[in-house]
Amino acid sequence: AQTVTQSQPEMSVQEAETVTLSCTYDTSESDYYLFWYKQPPSRQMILVIRQEAYKQQNATENRFSVNFQKAAKSFSLKISDSQLGDAAMYFCAYRMNSGNTPLVFGKGTRLSVIA
Amino acid sequence: DGGITQSPKYLFRKEGQNVTLSCEQNLNHDAMYWYRQDPGQGLRLIYYSQIVNDFQKGDIAEGYSVSREKKESFPLTVTSAQKNPTAFYLCASRPNRDLPSSGQYFGPGTRLTVT
């Protein structure tokens, strides 16, 4: 079974600084997808960024980028120029590339942004 | 507006009573999912359905039941057999024809409290 591990239950960052959230996963599959979701205090889940495992290039979305290391099964999220609105729970998730298989989530990292 | 609706936002029940959580989507999505979220546990899969009249158990299906009689609706019943039903419940969906790399679309969630 696939598992996703987020080893940092809580992180904090100063406003305008950069922070990196860690995620590792375990799978025997070679074709899969990885995601980072944000859950603000409203508890609405918001997709932040996604990565296809067959792509070597790291995904970027504005201030958000990932460091995808397939051999190490590592998928970290970097947030640059942190803003107060970035404060939230962040979940790393994995999906095998097979039909509509569900996402497998890590336990999350709570990010605080200090003004 | 298209989206996923979960109602009510907050639900209170007495121990020993069954309760049904509503999830409706008007996105014409084929697959629907139910997750449970507890503090420090991330999102855990309860049930999912890829087509009407078909559904599969997730990792924590015991004490829960679902039905998928219509494409738009995927209600979750929390039975009295569920030992710790108090939690935040999230419903999600995605279309079969969407790119595999796309994530799931989430509803706003229902907070169930059982006393």
Side-chain angles (χ1 to χ4, degrees):
Chain A
Q2 294 84 14
T3 58
V4 177
T5 301
Q6 294 179 249
S7 59
Q8 307 152 315
E10 295 182 355
M11 293 279 287
S12 62
V13 62
Q14 292 279 350
E15 197 176 4
E17 296 295 310
T18 295
V19 64
T20 298
L21 308 184
S22 300
C23 174
T24 58
Y25 57 95
D26 187 22
T27 183
S28 58
E29 302 290 329
S30 60
D31 192 9
Y32 52 87
Y33 301 90
L34 296 163
F35 307 85
W36 278 97
Y37 277 85
K38 171 184 178 181
Q39 187 182 45
S42 67
R43 306 199 80 168
Q44 178 69 53
M45 295 287 283
I46 301 165
L47 179 62
V48 175
I49 198 166
R50 74 196 80 184
Q51 174 80 42
E52 292 90 340
Y54 63 84
K55 288 186 177 179
Q56 293 188 340
Q57 185 174 7
N58 290 323
T60 63
E61 289 285 345
N62 301 314
R63 296 183 295 108
F64 298 88
S65 62
V66 299
N67 183 3
F68 173 49
Q69 301 290 328
K70 190 171 185 179
K73 297 180 182 175
S74 171
F75 183 60
S76 61
L77 174 70
K78 185 171 82 170
I79 306 174
S80 303
D81 186 25
S82 296
Q83 301 174 357
L84 294 177
D86 294 334
M89 283 291 291
Y90 286 83
F91 294 98
C92 179
Y94 162 100
R95 177 198 287 133
M96 186 171 57
N97 183 19
S98 176
N100 274 317
T101 53
L103 292 172
V104 177
F105 287 87
K107 293 186 177 182
T109 296
R110 181 174 300 281
L111 178 66
S112 301
V113 181
I114 303 165
Chain B
D1 284 0
I4 302 175
T5 303
Q6 291 186 246
S7 61
K9 192 171 179 65
Y10 299 96
L11 192 53
F12 298 88
R13 281 294 182 271
K14 294 289 188 185
E15 193 173 335
Q17 293 179 338
N18 290 357
V19 58
T20 297
L21 279 59
S22 166
C23 178
E24 304 278 334
Q25 52 96 1
N26 60 5
L27 300 166
N28 199 32
H29 285 178
D30 300 290
M32 298 186 75
Y33 312 83
W34 274 107
Y35 292 90
R36 170 180 171 142
Q37 184 178 11
D38 297 281
Q41 293 295 321
L43 277 70
R44 293 182 291 170
L45 181 69
I46 305 173
Y47 269 99
Y48 69 104
S49 168
Q50 300 200 44
I51 55 172
V52 174
N53 293 323
D54 184 60
F55 47 82
Q56 290 82 42
K57 291 183 178 180
D59 300 319
I60 56 167
E62 185 176 351
Y64 299 96
S65 65
V66 294
S67 63
R68 187 86 188 276
E69 297 176 0
K70 299 186 301 182
K71 189 175 186 179
E72 302 80 17
S73 179
F74 191 41
L76 173 73
T77 296
V78 184
T79 74
S80 56
Q82 168 51 233
K83 291 184 174 57
N84 297 296
T86 294
F88 186 65
Y89 290 87
L90 280 161
C91 179
S93 71
R94 70 183 296 270
N96 278 342
R97 292 179 298 281
D98 202 355
L99 293 174
S101 61
S102 70
Q104 293 170 353
Y105 299 74
F106 282 87
T110 292
R111 172 68 183 178
L112 173 64
T113 302
V114 177
T115 58

